């Protein structure tokens, strides 16, 4: 899950909030909200006080976007961020949080597969009966 240096340049490259937002597919408002919610550690700033994101920051933001996209509640994301900041001693707790979330995602995938079967059945039914009436 590493950020490619081709995407942002050398490791010392620092991105503006707009550049980071574009790279991870979020709005600048969402990035700032993530920071306010404690999902993102305070981001470094340049001499003018503007946020400057590193490759590691972008990698973290990509993880957060995937967690949200898979339906992880913000409270769980916040808990994960808190645990991650505490270091290696919280690895088991972080794994358990991800395992619980994985179980929810797998359950949701199963439900979506069942829903897709119904949709496919209905589409097939309409295709077979078009022109018969």
């Amino acid at each position: 899950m590493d950020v490619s240096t081709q995407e942002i340049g050398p490791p010392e490259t620092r991105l503006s909030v707009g550049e980071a937002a574009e790279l991870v597919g979020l709005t600048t408002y969402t990035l700032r909200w993530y920071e306010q919610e404690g999902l993102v550690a305070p981001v470094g700033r340049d001499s003018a006080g503007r946020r400057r994101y590193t490759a590691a920051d972008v990698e973290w933001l990509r993880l957060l976007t995937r967690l949200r996209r898979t339906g992880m509640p913000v409270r769980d994301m916040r808990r994960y961020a808190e645990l991650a900041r505490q270091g290696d001693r919280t690895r088991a707790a972080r794994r358990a949080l991800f395992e619980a979330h994985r179980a929810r995602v797998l359950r949701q995938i199963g439900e979506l597969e069942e829903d897709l079967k119904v949709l496919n059945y209905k589409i097939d039914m309409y295709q077979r009966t078009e022109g018969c009436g």
Side-chain angles (χ1 to χ4, degrees):
M1 218 170 89
D2 294 330
V3 175
S4 165
T5 55
Q6 288 182 321
E7 293 180 64
I8 69 166
E12 66 276 4
T13 299
R14 305 280 191 242
L15 301 174
S16 70
V17 67
E19 291 166 331
E22 184 176 337
L23 201 55
V24 298
L26 297 173
T27 65
T28 57
Y29 173 82
T30 301
L31 288 189
R32 290 182 183 111
W33 184 81
Y34 275 13
E35 193 174 339
Q36 291 169 356
E37 287 295 309
L39 298 173
V40 176
V43 175
R45 295 180 184 257
D46 63 16
S47 59
R50 294 177 299 238
R51 288 173 176 84
R52 304 306 288 181
Y53 291 81
T54 65
D57 294 328
V58 171
E59 184 177 337
W60 180 259
L61 290 167
R62 284 192 170 146
L63 172 61
L64 293 177
T65 59
R66 284 182 172 88
L67 295 176
R68 275 306 293 149
R69 195 169 59 209
T70 59
M72 181 178 272
V74 172
R75 73 178 176 280
D76 289 350
M77 292 169 61
R78 192 179 299 114
R79 176 73 179 136
Y80 176 73
E82 291 166 2
L83 290 168
R85 283 192 278 274
Q86 292 174 30
D88 286 344
R89 65 187 173 88
T90 65
R91 283 180 181 263
R94 287 182 275 162
R95 179 183 42 77
L97 187 71
F98 279 174
E99 286 173 344
H101 183 59
R102 178 180 58 191
R104 287 190 301 268
V105 169
L106 289 171
R107 189 170 42 254
Q108 184 180 14
I109 288 170
E111 291 168 356
L112 286 171
E113 287 173 345
E114 290 301 313
D115 295 342
L116 183 59
K117 286 178 187 175
V118 171
L119 287 172
N120 286 336
Y121 170 79
K122 294 302 272 184
I123 289 168
D124 184 54
M125 181 191 72
Y126 285 118
Q127 286 175 336
R128 282 186 280 119
T129 60
E130 285 176 5
C132 293

